[in-house]
Amino acid sequence: MKTYTGNQTGQTPGLLPGPYFWWEAGATWGAMIDYYYYTGDDTYNDVVSQALLAQVGPNADYMPPAQSNNEGNDDQGFWGMAAMSAAEQNFPNPPSDQPQWLALAQAVFNSQAMRWDTTTCQGGLRWQIFTFNSGYTYKNSISNGVFFNLAARLAQYTGNQTYADWAVKTWDWVNSVNLMDSEYEIFDGAGDLTNCTQTNKIRWTYNAGVYLLGAATMYSYTNQSSMWGARVEGLLNATDFFFSPNQTNVMFETACEPYGTCDTDQLSFKAYLSRWLAASTQVAPFIYEAVMLKLQASATAAAQQCSGGSTGTLCGQKWTDGTVWDGTSGVGQQMSALEVIQSNLVKNNTPPVTAVTGGTSKGNPAAGSSGTVMPGAIITQITLAEKISAGFITGFACIMFGGGVVWIIT
């Protein structure tokens, strides 16, 4: 955290330095919320809160005008999920004159529900929010998965059936256009110019994870229904694709990691599958043993890979390489190691709270239902300074010793 300058005079709170995009900043603050939840260490809580609140935008829905040139539905959703985690984990609430965590998550959900698009593919969310951004004609699994995930978790937290109905609607749509197959394999997306009839069948870890937690939450919300239980089991089994056939239960990014072609975004994806595997066990406990086999082996391998740089603490991407550092480092690699290792503490923590089980975050069911910038609106051009003005954590490394965790933050 010493390298994070966003909370200094003249800097922009919440942003990562280049080459990291805005969405990954939201994902990273989500990891730090998890860090507090798992460890009880509140050292960084004020910085995390400041970052999350600084990027809410004028309508408190995580639509800051400065990010219009690169903000998609999935990007907005990662900030919304961070706020949702803050509500579920009773992260310290903001001052009363600031947007509250639950209300922020509701605002993201409501603004995305307004974008549900039936003009092509019989429904679904587009990848991009604005027509001028590349990918506007693509409907992808992660944007719809984030929406599904938020809907399920809001249903669980608030008890409001409307959120659950949206979760079911999204699940059904994803299956209807074959973004998920009968084996619960989730594919990247499909173009709406062909009415979503041609599927891009690349598979990513974070897609598997975002649907797993959504389905596990629906399993809990529906009082352990056999239908959602079967879906949870199917989704978990499908994650086997992302665990090495050569090193049992060690996670890898199948589509790019073996070839050294993962881009900056993709280097962080394993963090989210790790995060959501652990969280899923809290709402669908019947998968705990199977999940922990994966998380324990992956955490051990990740810790061994955190052996790089002059300090011997930088984490590489290739956990399958053991103690031989793969020569890479960055926010994605460090966050992935942090999440997979701290996820092993999941059984030590109480399950996510709800409005009736101790949740203290205040909501606003109407948040985000007005003022959302719609496609084609005039925007303010983002400046280079706004893109790169903030610094961030350059290292998280965690090493497990006899059930304890040593945290190394550089």
Side-chain angles (χ1 to χ4, degrees):
M1 290 295 289
K2 291 180 181 178
T3 61
Y4 176 65
T5 61
N7 58 337
Q8 297 178 8
T9 302
Q11 303 300 310
T12 305
L15 301 186
L16 298 175
Y20 306 104
F21 286 108
W22 182 75
W23 80 271
E24 193 167 344
T28 305
W29 299 122
M32 293 305 292
I33 290 170
D34 285 347
Y35 172 73
Y36 170 66
Y37 173 65
Y38 285 125
T39 70
D41 180 2
D42 63 1
T43 302
Y44 310 108
N45 285 5
D46 289 345
V47 175
V48 173
S49 292
Q50 181 195 47
L52 286 169
L53 294 172
Q55 295 295 317
V56 299
N59 297 308
D61 56 3
Y62 286 117
M63 291 283 292
Q67 299 302 325
S68 297
N69 277 3
N70 61 44
E71 182 175 359
N73 281 304
D74 52 347
D75 306 324
Q76 181 194 27
F78 266 88
W79 287 83
M81 289 188 295
M84 189 73 240
S85 292
E88 293 168 331
Q89 297 172 7
N90 266 341
F91 191 76
N93 291 317
S96 59
D97 62 343
Q98 295 293 311
Q100 302 299 298
W101 306 133
L102 178 59
L104 285 165
Q106 290 172 311
V108 171
F109 171 84
N110 286 336
S111 66
Q112 295 195 347
M114 292 169 60
R115 300 185 198 119
W116 187 264
D117 173 43
T118 59
T119 63
T120 60
C121 309
Q122 294 78 53
L125 287 178
R126 296 176 179 274
W127 176 18
Q128 298 296 336
I129 298 170
F130 302 106
T131 57
F132 46 76
N133 284 335
S134 177
Y136 182 74
T137 60
Y138 195 60
K139 294 189 174 181
N140 61 349
S141 290
I142 189 59
S143 293
N144 288 279
V146 166
F147 185 61
F148 167 67
N149 183 296
L150 267 179
R153 292 163 68 185
L154 284 167
Q156 176 87 332
Y157 192 99
T158 67
N160 188 328
Q161 181 62 33
T162 299
Y163 296 122
D165 292 343
W166 271 105
V168 171
K169 181 176 183 176
T170 307
W171 175 277
D172 290 346
W173 179 83
V174 167
N175 281 270
S176 74
V177 294
N178 299 315
L179 294 184
M180 184 187 303
D181 69 12
S182 61
E183 299 299 317
Y184 299 94
E185 298 172 336
I186 301 168
F187 308 117
D188 187 76
D192 77 341
L193 297 180
T194 57
N195 206 36
C196 296
T197 58
Q198 299 177 17
T199 305
N200 177 354
K201 294 200 170 182
I202 292 177
R203 295 170 64 188
W204 301 107
T205 51
Y206 75 161
N207 278 329
V210 78
Y211 284 90
L212 176 61
L213 178 55
T217 305
M218 289 299 292
Y219 169 77
S220 178
Y221 177 78
T222 58
N223 295 315
Q224 297 80 47
S225 77
S226 58
M227 178 182 69
W228 282 107
R231 291 169 174 177
V232 170
E233 186 173 8
L235 287 164
L236 178 60
N237 289 339
T239 67
D240 287 347
F241 180 73
F242 302 109
F243 291 85
S244 173
N246 301 317
Q247 291 177 267
T248 303
N249 289 321
V250 175
M251 191 186 303
F252 75 120
E253 196 63 58
T254 313
C256 60
E257 187 174 317
Y259 319 107
T261 58
C262 297
D263 65 21
T264 300
D265 290 347
Q266 294 154 8
L267 288 168
S268 72
F269 286 179
K270 290 189 294 187
Y272 319 127
L273 177 55
S274 300
R275 176 188 301 176
W276 293 324
L277 278 168
S280 294
T281 69
Q282 296 182 299
V283 284
F286 74 92
I287 64 172
Y288 176 80
E289 297 297 335
V291 166
M292 293 312 297
L293 289 174
K294 298 178 185 296
L295 289 179
Q296 289 169 358
S298 293
T300 300
Q304 291 175 339
Q305 185 58 203
C306 293
S307 58
S310 60
T311 62
T313 59
L314 294 181
C315 301
Q317 182 195 24
K318 295 182 179 179
W319 300 344
T320 54
D321 282 2
T323 58
V324 180
W325 181 47
D326 67 8
T328 71
S329 63
V331 170
Q333 294 96 317
Q334 302 298 121
M335 178 166 47
S336 294
L338 174 66
E339 284 282 27
V340 75
I341 293 172
Q342 67 186 10
S343 289
N344 280 267
L345 302 174
V346 66
K347 201 168 187 178
N348 298 338
N349 292 77
T350 57
V353 297
T354 70
V356 296
T357 63
T360 61
S361 187
K362 296 186 182 300
N364 177 5
S369 60
S370 63
T372 300
V373 180
M374 300 305 292
I378 298 174
I379 64 161
T380 302
Q381 291 295 318
I382 185 170
T383 67
L384 179 62
E386 288 170 322
K387 288 181 179 178
I388 65 175
S389 61
F392 188 67
I393 303 166
T394 59
F396 291 117
C398 321
I399 306 173
M400 311 234 357
F401 290 105
V405 179
V406 176
W407 302 94
I408 304 170
I409 302 178
T410 58

